[in-house]
Amino acid sequence: MPGQYIHNNQVQVYMRARDKGCTQTEAAYIAGFSERSGRRIETGSHQPKYGTERVSREKNLVLSQEVGKSHRCHLEFHSSLQRMLTGKA
C-alpha cells in the first residue's frame, strides 16, 4: 500500500514465503506490499523505519509521579524501620 511503512513482521512473512518457493510477486502479495518493495528487501536497499517510542509529556508526568510515590514509600519504610531498630516509636 503506498505511503505505508513495511513492518518487520511483514518482511519476515515475505522472506518465509520466498524460502518456501513463492515468486517475488506472490510473496509480496502474501506479505501485503508491492513487488518492488520485495525486490528492495532482497537487494538490501529497503530502509526499515527505526525509531524510539515517543513519550508524551503526560506520560513523563505520570512516570515522574509514580517514581515520586515509590520514593516516598521507600523513605517512609526506611524511617519506620530506623525507628523500630532504635526503639523510638
Side-chain angles (χ1 to χ4, degrees):
M1 294 170 54
Q4 299 292 317
Y5 290 111
I6 297 172
H7 299 281
N8 289 337
N9 63 334
Q10 287 177 292
V11 173
Q12 291 170 355
V13 167
Y14 175 82
M15 295 307 290
R16 263 191 253 121
R18 289 292 285 150
D19 288 342
K20 290 184 179 182
C22 292
T23 65
Q24 285 180 338
T25 307
E26 293 167 340
Y29 177 79
I30 291 168
F33 49 74
S34 71
E35 180 182 356
R36 179 71 186 106
S37 293
R39 282 197 297 272
R40 264 191 232 102
I41 289 168
E42 286 191 24
T43 60
S45 61
H46 168 66
Q47 298 177 353
K49 181 179 183 270
Y50 291 113
T52 57
E53 178 186 344
R54 289 186 172 183
V55 179
S56 67
R57 186 176 297 168
E58 292 83 20
K59 189 171 182 179
N60 275 337
L61 179 61
V62 169
L63 287 174
S64 65
Q65 289 171 346
E66 290 300 315
V67 169
K69 286 178 189 176
S70 172
H71 186 66
R72 280 192 303 276
C73 182
H74 176 72
L75 289 175
E76 288 171 7
F77 173 76
H78 182 69
S79 61
S80 65
L81 181 64
Q82 195 173 26
R83 282 191 304 262
M84 205 168 68
L85 291 173
T86 58
K88 297 177 184 176

